[in-house]
């Protein structure tokens, strides 16, 4: 029989994973003096979150994710799943609009609302601009 102190409880496994994360140098949050937060190394919960994110990215339904993550309430799953899916849909829409409706060289102009290409300056205009910038 395994001695009580040697048993692998969920808390003990969590501590072991945290020690491995620290030893491996896997940082999930950097130190921030403004908020007085310390460096946080990978933990069992970070692995859990990463697994959930990979399942969402793979297209697993919210209902399946709830079962896999063992959430008691669907609202918990939907809070994370819905936000991630909304962000993914928004990014996909922006990428699609910017790549199909605008040539690549006009991308920045489209983002700031300009549709036409900026005119090129001639040599005289470039010298005036350079002189103006040097005075600043």
């Amino acid at each position: 029989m395994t001695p009580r102190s040697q048993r692998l409880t969920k808390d003990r496994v969590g501590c072991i994973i945290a020690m491995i994360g620290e030893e491996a140098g896997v940082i999930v949050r950097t130190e921030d003096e403004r908020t007085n937060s310390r460096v946080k190394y990978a933990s069992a919960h970070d692995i859990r979150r990463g697994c959930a994110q990979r399942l969402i990215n793979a297209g697993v339904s919210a209902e399946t994710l709830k079962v896999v993550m063992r959430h008691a309430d669907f609202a918990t799953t939907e809070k994370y799943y819905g936000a991630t899916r909304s962000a993914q849909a928004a990014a996909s829409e922006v990428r699609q609009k910017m790549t199909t409706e605008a040539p690549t060289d006009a991308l920045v102009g489209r983002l700031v609302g300009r549709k036409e290409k900026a005119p090129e300056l001639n040599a005289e205009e470039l010298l005036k601009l350079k002189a103006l910038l040097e005075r600043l």
Side-chain angles (χ1 to χ4, degrees):
M1 182 165 175
T2 307
R4 190 171 192 84
S5 63
Q6 297 294 319
R7 277 197 178 145
L8 288 178
T9 64
K10 72 176 186 176
D11 291 334
R12 180 74 181 129
V13 170
C15 287
I16 291 169
I17 292 171
M19 289 187 303
I20 292 169
E22 186 172 358
E23 185 68 29
V26 180
I27 298 173
V28 294
R29 185 185 63 224
T30 58
E31 183 176 15
D32 188 349
E33 292 178 6
R34 294 175 296 142
T35 60
N36 204 22
S37 60
R38 302 180 328 207
V39 171
K40 182 181 181 301
Y41 296 96
S43 67
H45 196 73
D46 295 309
I47 293 171
R48 176 181 167 84
R49 245 191 322 266
C51 176
Q53 186 62 55
R54 284 177 181 81
L55 290 171
I56 291 169
N57 292 346
V60 168
S61 71
E63 293 79 13
T64 299
L65 187 65
K66 176 192 179 291
V67 172
V68 171
M69 300 306 292
R70 296 179 297 129
H71 290 154
D73 187 358
F74 186 74
T76 304
T77 306
E78 187 58 30
K79 182 168 83 174
Y80 299 104
Y81 185 87
T84 300
R85 280 297 203 201
S86 294
Q88 288 174 338
S92 178
E93 180 183 351
V94 168
R95 181 176 47 250
Q96 189 258 341
K97 293 284 186 187
M98 298 310 287
T99 57
T100 60
E101 295 182 11
T104 307
D105 60 344
L107 180 60
V108 174
R110 293 284 311 262
L111 288 175
V112 295
R114 190 180 76 233
K115 293 184 180 180
E116 69 282 346
K117 189 174 177 182
E120 292 192 26
L121 301 176
N122 63 35
E124 183 181 334
E125 292 169 323
L126 283 172
L127 288 173
K128 286 180 184 177
L129 180 60
K130 184 178 177 184
L132 178 65
L133 291 172
E134 286 175 354
R135 281 187 269 160
L136 297 175

